[in-house]
């Protein structure tokens, strides 16, 4: 167990609502390590467990040099919004403008079961929302307005990785510039 294949758009696991973590055991700690290693190798800004085929409510993030993880997250979103480019390791090579809450407080647990809260603006706020969406089977293209979503889905259909068997590839075939979530 280490770096895992990243599941791509079209894989049903990405559309499955992940289950809450109940056992804060050795397997969970291994899952967090696998997520961290896979995310850092991609490289990505965030990675949720369903993206490596594990339907549990866990994600990792690496934003501005800070590496972290969160289990069973519950988000509190600001009404103030931010607009900016967003990408996803499961939709490699593509980025689209996506409106998100500007400020987020994410409550949950760490891998030892201790309660934690993460507060973030800008990219961290975007990441916390994007990764929590993954746990609900939601992808960022679902958050785009109708016109942008149509363009995004067309770009996804035309992507060279589209329709490949899952798990298709171990490493993103396109540069992600370390920004993909
Ligand atoms: Ni993503």
């Amino acid at each position: 167990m280490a770096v895992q294949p990243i599941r791509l758009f079209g894989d049903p696991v990405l559309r499955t609502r992940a289950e809450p973590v109940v056992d804060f055991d050795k397997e969970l700690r291994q899952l967090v390590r696998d997520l961290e290693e896979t995310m850092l190798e991609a490289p990505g800004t965030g990675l949720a467990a369903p993206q490596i085929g594990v339907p549990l409510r866990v994600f990792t993030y690496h934003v501005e040099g800070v590496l972290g993880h969160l289990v069973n997250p519950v988000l509190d979103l600001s009404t103030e919004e931010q607009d900016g480019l967003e990408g996803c390791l499961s939709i490699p090579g593509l980025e689209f403008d996506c409106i998100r809450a500007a400020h987020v407080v994410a409550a949950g647990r760490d891998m030892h079961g201790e309660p934690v809260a993460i507060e973030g603006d800008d990219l961290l706020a975007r990441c916390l929302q994007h990764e929590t969406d993954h746990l609900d089977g939601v992808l960022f293209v679902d958050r785009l307005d109708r016109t942008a979503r149509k363009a995004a889905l067309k770009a996804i259909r035309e992507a060279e990785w589209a329709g490949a068997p899952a798990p298709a590839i171990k490493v993103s075939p396109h540069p992600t510039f370390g920004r993909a979530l």
Side-chain angles (χ1 to χ4, degrees):
M1 299 285 277
V3 173
Q4 300 294 311
I6 294 176
R7 305 302 182 93
L8 297 177
F9 184 95
D11 190 313
V13 74
L14 296 175
R15 291 308 196 176
T16 304
R17 191 179 160 81
E19 294 294 324
V21 170
V22 178
D23 297 319
F24 292 80
D25 56 7
K26 212 173 117 187
E27 270 118 74
L28 176 66
R29 293 193 289 278
Q30 184 62 53
L31 172 60
V32 170
R33 273 196 296 276
D34 288 349
L35 284 167
E36 285 178 352
E37 285 179 33
T38 306
M39 173 183 69
L40 293 173
E41 201 208 60
T45 297
L47 189 66
Q51 292 181 278
I52 59 168
V54 179
L56 286 175
R57 302 187 75 78
V58 185
F59 66 73
T60 56
Y61 60 90
H62 185 230
V63 177
E64 285 156 10
V66 178
L67 179 64
H69 68 277
L70 194 59
V71 179
N72 298 343
V74 177
L75 301 192
D76 187 10
L77 306 180
S78 66
T79 49
E80 192 194 333
E81 294 180 328
Q82 59 170 318
D83 193 4
L85 281 177
E86 192 162 318
C88 179
L89 291 172
S90 296
I91 307 176
L94 300 174
E95 285 187 321
F96 302 96
D97 256 316
C98 186
I99 294 171
R100 294 284 190 181
H103 184 84
V104 173
V105 180
R109 307 222 166 231
D110 68 12
M111 61 180 159
H112 306 290
E114 296 300 321
V116 288
I118 303 159
E119 205 171 337
D121 300 299
D122 303 320
L123 182 58
L124 181 55
R126 182 175 292 280
C127 177
L128 295 168
Q129 292 168 83
H130 180 113
E131 302 315 329
T132 303
D133 271 354
H134 271 303
L135 308 182
D136 293 328
V138 173
L139 298 172
F140 85 100
V141 291
D142 307 337
R143 299 278 186 194
L144 307 179
D145 67 42
R146 199 184 158 84
T147 312
R149 188 167 62 243
K150 241 178 119 177
L153 292 177
K154 183 166 185 283
I156 289 169
R157 276 196 306 275
E158 289 169 357
E160 61 191 61
W161 48 263
I169 37 174
K170 194 157 184 174
V171 177
S172 167
H174 297 281
T176 61
F177 311 108
R179 288 198 306 262
L181 304 159

